[in-house]
Amino acid sequence: LSFFLRYKDTTRSLSNECLGSNRPVISLGLSDFALDIRMPGVTPKQSDTYLCMSVPLLVDDEAYVVDFKPHASMDTVHHMLLFGCSEPSSTENYWDCDEGTCKDKSNILYAWARNAPPTRLPKGVGFRVGGETGSKYFVLQVHYGDISAFRDKHKDCSGVTLHLTHQKQPLIAGMYLMMSVNTVIPPGEKVVDADIACHYKRFPMHLFAYRVHTHRLGQVVSGYRVRNGQWTLIGRQSPQLPQAFYPVEHPVDIRFDDILAARCVFSGEGRTTETHIGGTANDEMCNFYIMYYMEAKHAVSYMTCTQNANPEMFRNIPQEANIPIPVKPDILKMAHGHHEESKDADKSTLLQQPRREEEEVLDQGDFYSLLSKLLGEREDVVHVHKYNPTEKADSDLVAEIANVVQKKDLAREVTNVDERDNAVLVRDRIHKFHRLESTLRPPENRHFSLQQPTRGEGSWDKEHTGDFHIEEVVDWPGLDLKLGQVSGLALDHENNLVVFHRGDHVWDENSFDSKFVYQQQGVGPIEQDTILVLNPSNAQLLHSMGKNLFYLPHGLSIDQNGNYWVTDVALQQVFKLRADDKEPLLMLGTALQPGSDKNHFCQPTDVAVDPVTGSVYVSDGYCNSRIVQFSASGLFLKQWGEGTSSDGARPGQFRIPHSLALIPEFSQLCIADRENGRIQCFELGSGQFIREIKHKSFGRELFAVSYVPGGLLFAVNGMPYPGETEPVQGFVMNFSTGEIIDTFSPVRKSFEMPHDVVASEDKTVFVGDVHARTVWKFTSTEKVEHRSVKKAGIEVQEVKETIIETKLGNNPQSTEPLKKEEKQHLVHQASAGVSFVLITTLLIIPVVVLLAILAFVRWRKAAACGADAEHKIDSSSGRILGRLRGKGGGGLNLGNFFASHKGYSRKGFDRLSTEGSDQEKDEDDGTDSEEEYSAPPPPAAPSS
């Protein structure tokens, strides 16, 4: 307590005196310097003001932040965030953070709140900034919560001093945020747990500091590493104490496939209404921040975890995580500062609806800061949403945020309708907004994610390829598996690949009659196992099931409890199965009877299950153009959709809704509208149309769509029709903007009819092909290789690191096997770009020619001038070779040569368009599926 009180007094005096604000850069020696980042004497005019200012790094070389010293007090500042980025959102001395912090993607380097003492980085650890890839600017964001301290009109210079060095740090620091997004705290409930858990799928990291954060109901927050069932404490603290970054007492390392787990314990006592996750005083938050360091060559600066990958695991959490940490009143008052209310005022806040003018925003030291500010600008909408949570108020809240961002004042009406399910409220209220990432996203992207995007062609800047590229894993043995027609793919909670295939059954022109009734019932169900669980690294079979259950499998998905949901177009049904059961847990539809009412489907294609409400969405299908919603128990709730009009595809119209992707963060369901060649997204629950994603490069058909938490959308299209040139390929899109940021296709063989796609958070992608009867695996080459391309150089060392990282991401084995496979992988990598033989030839031929010329010159000179001349030529040739070696930087760089030629591609040579159609293939081969052309092109308008 005495330490915190002493530090509080020190920071209060510093923040008001603006020490160091006129001398931002201070030399600390030959290689070290300090950078003072302070607000330039500001006086906020209203409470809950967010102000930003930027400071350039002022050095071109790479530098490392090795220490922080905050200068702020709770008397004036609620919290501070420090970002690193390449370009700030404004060039003014300071600006309102509504304009954003950075124009590009930024990283959180430091967070301060509640009179926290300074964080110390371990020796040899630093945040990397500057150079070719690091941040060029620091942006300070300060939240002034209550401006009563500014009644004397004094100017504030709060900020932080950074200690930087040019000495290379072998270890790079980063931030890992664990955050609950769907916790509901019932009123009066004594104990409510919020659990978060994620599998770690990267290179080893070492944890050295942690910070906990909740609002007033939080009792204790604990974080753990779980390895082989053993729980190791990272940190445990009361969120009512000063929310500093505390050191991890005992060293904790995180390896591939470890689980990071955290629990927040809340108490709802004293509340009369449910408490949700959110950004205001009467909401709650559950955050566990971890500072870590990694080896420089593998470093990742920021990671998040917002899910609970294994709820059953928390039955074994150590008992200490459930025991609240008592906090003395004097410490509680000091920790909360002047925001801590009197006992009577607190009681009034808890038991009554507070007056809107008294609403305050608590600690926003993470993604919620922008959201809180935006909501505060239109209190009428906020008030209606918080205290009359209705469907209408919820939609108005979304619209109002978009209006605030665009600085528009649109008239609207707020009416009361029946309350929706509380779980839906939580999901809609938080999942839509927590990906605002405070101001991590550029303003134009944030605008896109908050506003309903306009329909039409998406834009794709070919120069913008993102920070990664998807390429085939050429040594993936799954390509050689003996499978039937592969119709569905999914990843289970262990990231194992689950394949749904048709065994020895095929869908051809004889499968159905004109009324869509299956004609081959006499053959019986498929006798082979139709559901295969494969190791994603080596395609080894781990488990199989589903024999004698299905006739023509189609769609596959896995819910949050690990249950399989599948569709069968012949049986006209949807099934829910457990991985270890032979009999279905639930069946929807009537066997072998097509229809379009509540109890019948007509060739249903896919299923998606809402992880929050348990609602089941079925795309139905080849002969119905609708989405059907059921409750978790199978009760029909609603349906929406209709067939495509003759004058063109309108919102909510389908021509084979073929694949579903549920986006819980944004409360949306996206559908691959196959024959209309587009993606349509709808609001979960209401079915209200939100947006369309359509690109010319999709061609006429879009078969499947898959979403990865973090904002990436994956899709595959169909083969081009005769006369069309768009190739069959995979797409990676930014979900917020709809833009295509990468495309991919296999090196071995070719796509014939890619039918389904699934991707994991580490950007490993699997594509199932119904014609080729196989599964392709692709993976990301990540940022390392792209840095080489941007520098117009092919740097073998960086490519090696990329390959090792990719392989580790799929198969956590020792480094020795990786080294053995490295050469093989490099050869395959080169074949996808510039041929290995070509590179070798280009390297050797100039050297041979040069040596031949030098030898010839030497011989001629020797004959003419004798030994003395020969000696001079030796030294001269040495200088020439020396200059060549020096200019090449240790090796011949071919990047500039290839990058300067128009049409240069990472894959080496552009693939020729495939002329011909799926129909032609089906005529040649009767065993291929009729489903690929079951919906013919729209007929021409009849002539008069």
Side-chain angles (χ1 to χ4, degrees):
L1 175 61
S2 62
F3 171 80
F4 279 109
L5 290 173
R6 185 167 63 252
Y7 187 80
K8 181 177 181 180
D9 293 337
T10 304
T11 55
R12 181 186 294 114
S13 62
L14 283 174
S15 63
N16 291 329
E17 294 173 10
C18 297
L19 296 180
S21 59
N22 295 324
R23 197 156 61 99
V25 180
I26 305 169
S27 175
L28 300 177
L30 294 177
S31 60
D32 289 21
F33 61 99
L35 187 61
D36 209 34
I37 304 174
R38 303 285 192 105
M39 278 292 165
V42 299
T43 303
K45 300 297 191 295
Q46 62 183 13
S47 296
D48 287 331
T49 295
Y50 288 76
L51 296 180
C52 290
M53 61 85 62
S54 66
V55 173
L57 185 56
L58 298 177
V59 293
D60 296 328
D61 298 334
E62 196 172 73
Y64 301 85
V65 180
V66 295
D67 200 7
F68 305 89
K69 184 179 181 182
H71 307 296
S73 169
M74 198 66 179
D75 291 335
T76 54
V77 175
H78 187 273
H79 82 266
M80 297 188 302
L81 290 177
L82 184 67
F83 301 89
C85 61
S86 296
E87 185 177 3
S89 292
S90 175
T91 57
E92 301 293 328
N93 288 338
Y94 70 94
W95 66 90
D96 191 313
C97 295
D98 278 357
E99 302 174 23
T101 55
C102 300
K103 290 185 178 180
D104 61 324
K105 185 177 180 181
S106 58
N107 295 320
I108 296 177
L109 300 179
Y110 184 69
W112 174 92
R114 295 190 177 177
N115 292 313
T119 297
R120 302 294 182 188
L121 299 180
K123 187 175 182 180
V125 175
F127 285 95
R128 182 163 47 198
V129 295
E132 295 185 9
T133 59
S135 302
K136 304 295 189 299
Y137 284 83
F138 296 104
V139 177
L140 177 68
Q141 180 193 83
V142 179
H143 173 202
Y144 297 96
D146 186 345
I147 62 167
S148 60
F150 289 91
R151 290 171 182 167
D152 59 356
K153 305 298 181 183
H154 75 272
K155 297 185 182 298
D156 180 65
C157 295
S158 297
V160 60
T161 299
L162 307 183
H163 181 177
L164 297 99
T165 180
H166 288 295
Q167 294 181 357
K168 284 189 175 294
Q169 302 297 298
L171 305 169
I172 304 301
M175 191 83 72
Y176 192 108
L177 170 60
M178 306 186 71
M179 175 172 63
S180 174
V181 296
N182 56 7
T183 298
V184 180
I185 305 172
E189 191 75 22
K190 290 185 177 181
V191 177
V192 178
D193 297 331
D195 295 334
I196 317 160
C198 286
H199 286 272
Y200 184 72
K201 300 292 184 180
R202 294 183 180 271
F203 281 88
M205 66 176 178
H206 305 270
L207 316 183
F208 64 90
Y210 71 96
R211 173 180 178 248
V212 303
H213 171 66
T214 71
H215 291 176
R216 298 178 184 275
L217 301 186
Q219 305 291 306
V220 62
V221 182
S222 308
Y224 295 89
R225 178 199 69 192
V226 184
R227 179 183 295 167
N228 299 325
Q230 296 295 115
W231 294 69
T232 301
L233 181 67
I234 298 170
R236 173 176 173 267
Q237 189 58 276
S238 168
Q240 306 308 324
L241 290 173
Q243 296 188 13
F245 275 97
Y246 294 89
V248 176
E249 291 188 8
H250 304 287
V252 178
D253 69 297
I254 307 297
R255 300 201 297 258
F256 185 95
D257 222 25
D258 284 346
I259 298 176
L260 285 164
R263 166 170 285 182
C264 300
V265 178
F266 298 98
S267 173
E269 292 182 300
R271 293 287 173 100
T272 58
T273 59
E274 288 185 340
T275 304
H276 304 274
I277 297 294
T280 65
N282 291 318
D283 296 319
E284 266 303 335
M285 296 176 72
C286 171
N287 293 358
F288 188 75
Y289 297 84
I290 304 171
M291 271 193 179
Y292 62 86
Y293 61 83
M294 306 173 72
E295 290 185 22
K297 63 182 179 180
H298 304 312
V300 179
S301 60
Y302 191 71
M303 293 181 276
T304 61
C305 171
T306 60
Q307 61 181 348
N308 185 357
N310 190 352
E312 296 296 321
M313 175 186 71
F314 282 90
R315 294 180 179 180
N316 301 318
I317 192 171
Q319 187 60 29
E320 62 184 357
N322 302 314
I323 302 174
I325 296 178
V327 180
K328 294 182 180 180
D330 55 346
I331 299 179
L332 183 64
K333 183 176 180 180
M334 183 272 296
H336 285 280
H338 70 272
H339 289 286
E340 184 65 24
E341 304 166 8
S342 65
K343 190 172 184 179
D344 292 338
D346 189 61
K347 183 177 180 180
S348 174
T349 300
L350 294 178
L351 299 182
Q352 303 177 26
Q353 293 183 1
R355 293 175 299 174
R356 282 173 280 168
E357 61 269 23
E358 293 179 352
E359 291 174 8
E360 62 174 344
V361 179
L362 288 183
D363 188 354
Q364 304 300 305
D366 50 61
F367 294 156
Y368 295 95
S369 58
L370 176 61
L371 173 60
S372 303
K373 176 60 181 169
L374 293 177
L375 298 183
E377 292 197 15
R378 295 307 299 243
E379 293 180 343
D380 52 346
V381 175
V382 177
H383 185 80
V384 171
H385 180 73
K386 287 177 63 177
Y387 305 116
N388 299 282
T390 64
E391 182 174 350
K392 174 63 175 169
D394 185 67
S395 61
D396 283 343
L397 182 66
V398 179
E400 185 56 37
I401 291 178
N403 295 338
V404 170
V405 173
Q406 300 174 71
K407 298 301 179 186
K408 294 180 180 179
D409 188 12
L410 304 179
R412 69 209 172 283
E413 294 182 353
V414 180
T415 58
N416 293 335
V417 295
D418 295 336
E419 289 194 8
R420 298 174 63 188
D421 186 3
N422 286 325
V424 178
L425 281 174
V426 172
R427 192 259 330 287
D428 287 349
R429 190 175 186 183
I430 300 306
H431 286 243
K432 285 181 180 179
F433 305 136
H434 84 270
R435 296 216 62 81
L436 288 175
E437 300 177 343
S438 183
T439 48
L440 294 179
R441 183 177 294 153
E444 61 271 20
N445 288 357
R446 181 160 19 96
H447 164 85
F448 222 113
S449 66
L450 294 177
Q451 178 185 326
Q452 240 187 47
T454 55
R455 294 179 59 225
E457 291 290 323
S459 61
W460 175 26
D461 180 1
K462 293 185 179 181
E463 295 297 322
H464 179 204
T465 58
D467 291 330
F468 64 91
H469 178 63
I470 301 298
E471 293 184 352
E472 183 187 358
V473 178
V474 293
D475 59 354
W476 159 249
L479 207 61
D480 302 321
L481 292 173
K482 303 300 181 182
L483 302 172
Q485 293 180 333
V486 178
S487 61
L489 299 176
L491 295 173
D492 64 18
H493 294 309
E494 300 298 324
N495 259 357
N496 294 317
L497 175 65
V498 184
V499 179
F500 197 29
H501 74 115
R502 296 173 184 160
D504 57 1
H505 284 205
V506 296
W507 186 351
D508 57 27
E509 65 275 7
N510 300 314
S511 297
F512 294 90
D513 64 12
S514 60
K515 296 181 179 180
F516 309 106
V517 176
Y518 187 55
Q519 297 297 293
Q520 298 171 352
Q521 302 177 29
V523 178
I526 301 170
E527 296 180 355
Q528 299 88 22
D529 282 329
T530 53
I531 300 176
L532 309 178
V533 182
L534 305 177
N535 185 310
S537 299
N538 55 27
Q540 180 181 356
L541 181 64
L542 304 177
H543 176 63
S544 63
M545 59 178 291
K547 64 173 60 176
N548 297 317
L549 281 179
F550 306 110
Y551 286 81
L552 281 181
H554 199 277
L556 165 69
S557 66
I558 300 176
D559 65 22
Q560 62 176 352
N561 297 317
N563 298 309
Y564 298 157
W565 292 81
V566 299
T567 69
D568 189 310
V569 291
L571 286 172
Q572 317 282 3
Q573 286 182 298
V574 175
F575 299 86
K576 175 185 178 182
L577 305 104
R578 234 192 315 257
D580 52 355
D581 287 348
K582 295 183 179 181
E583 296 298 325
L585 299 175
L586 179 68
M587 291 186 291
L588 302 175
T590 304
L592 298 167
Q593 296 182 16
S596 57
D597 56 24
K598 299 179 181 180
N599 301 312
H600 293 82
F601 299 112
C602 193
Q603 296 177 351
T605 55
D606 203 7
V607 189
V609 181
D610 189 330
V612 178
T613 65
S615 293
V616 181
Y617 297 87
V618 179
S619 51
D620 180 37
Y622 281 92
C623 34
N624 285 332
S625 299
R626 63 176 182 168
I627 305 298
V628 191
Q629 180 183 352
F630 298 88
S631 70
S633 59
L635 177 68
F636 175 88
L637 297 179
K638 68 188 328 179
Q639 69 178 44
W640 73 85
E642 61 183 12
T644 300
S645 305
S646 58
D647 58 347
R650 299 173 182 173
Q653 295 183 338
F654 301 105
R655 200 154 174 256
I656 306 183
H658 195 258
S659 172
L660 301 178
L662 197 141
I663 295 86
E665 288 99 321
F666 294 92
S667 186
Q668 294 183 27
L669 178 71
C670 292
I671 297 110
D673 186 4
R674 197 183 93 171
E675 300 299 310
N676 285 324
R678 63 178 179 173
I679 299 170
Q680 293 193 74
C681 297
F682 301 83
E683 183 180 25
L684 284 174
S686 70
Q688 180 181 357
F689 175 81
I690 295 178
R691 64 188 297 198
E692 173 191 87
I693 301 174
K694 185 177 177 68
H695 294 275
K696 182 180 179 181
S697 53
F698 284 173
R700 196 179 297 188
E701 296 178 335
L702 191 78
F703 270 72
V705 62
S706 177
Y707 177 76
V708 171
L712 291 180
L713 204 61
F714 294 81
V716 289
N717 65 349
M719 293 291 287
Y721 280 71
E724 297 178 350
T725 59
E726 288 78 13
V728 56
Q729 59 187 336
F731 303 88
V732 187
M733 288 164 280
N734 181 322
F735 176 78
S736 297
T737 65
E739 69 171 340
I740 298 174
I741 57 179
D742 194 22
T743 60
F744 58 93
S745 56
V747 176
R748 297 184 296 168
K749 300 184 179 180
S750 298
F751 282 148
E752 296 181 29
M753 185 55 63
H755 194 266
D756 200 7
V757 61
V758 66
S760 62
E761 291 190 42
D762 65 355
K763 305 182 189 70
T764 298
V765 185
F766 296 93
V767 175
D769 194 307
V770 75
H771 274 178
R773 304 190 181 196
T774 193
V775 179
W776 275 277
K777 179 180 178 180
F778 301 83
T779 192
S780 167
T781 58
E782 291 297 345
K783 298 180 180 180
V784 179
E785 182 177 344
H786 272 265
R787 288 202 296 270
S788 298
V789 174
K790 290 176 182 177
K791 290 185 288 186
I794 299 174
E795 301 180 18
V796 176
Q797 180 61 35
E798 291 192 344
V799 175
K800 287 182 179 179
E801 291 172 9
T802 300
I803 295 164
I804 295 173
E805 178 177 357
T806 301
K807 293 187 71 62
L808 266 180
N810 296 313
N811 190 10
Q813 298 174 355
S814 67
T815 58
E816 287 302 317
L818 290 174
K819 292 178 180 178
K820 293 178 181 179
E821 295 176 12
E822 187 175 331
K823 291 184 179 179
Q824 295 178 354
H825 220 95
L826 280 172
V827 171
H828 292 304
Q829 189 80 5
S831 68
V834 182
S835 169
F836 178 77
V837 176
L838 177 60
I839 293 175
T840 305
T841 304
L842 289 172
L843 287 171
I844 293 175
I845 289 177
V847 176
V848 172
V849 172
L850 179 62
L851 292 176
I853 293 172
L854 291 174
F856 177 74
V857 172
R858 178 180 175 181
W859 174 76
R860 292 291 302 271
K861 292 280 187 177
C865 304
D868 292 335
E870 180 179 329
H871 176 73
K872 292 179 181 179
I873 290 172
D874 283 342
S875 61
S876 175
S877 65
R879 285 194 300 272
I880 293 171
L881 289 172
R883 291 192 192 101
L884 286 171
R885 294 190 186 101
K887 190 173 183 179
L892 184 60
N893 191 318
L894 300 176
N896 289 321
F897 172 80
F898 289 105
S900 64
H901 284 68
K902 187 175 181 180
Y904 167 65
S905 168
R906 297 169 59 91
K907 297 181 180 178
F909 303 99
D910 294 331
R911 292 194 307 120
L912 295 176
S913 302
T914 304
E915 298 295 337
S917 69
D918 304 328
Q919 293 179 352
E920 292 171 344
K921 180 173 181 61
D922 287 334
E923 290 168 1
D924 293 337
D925 185 15
T927 64
D928 285 316
S929 170
E930 188 192 36
E931 68 171 308
E932 322 316 341
Y933 61 90
S934 60
S943 62
S944 59

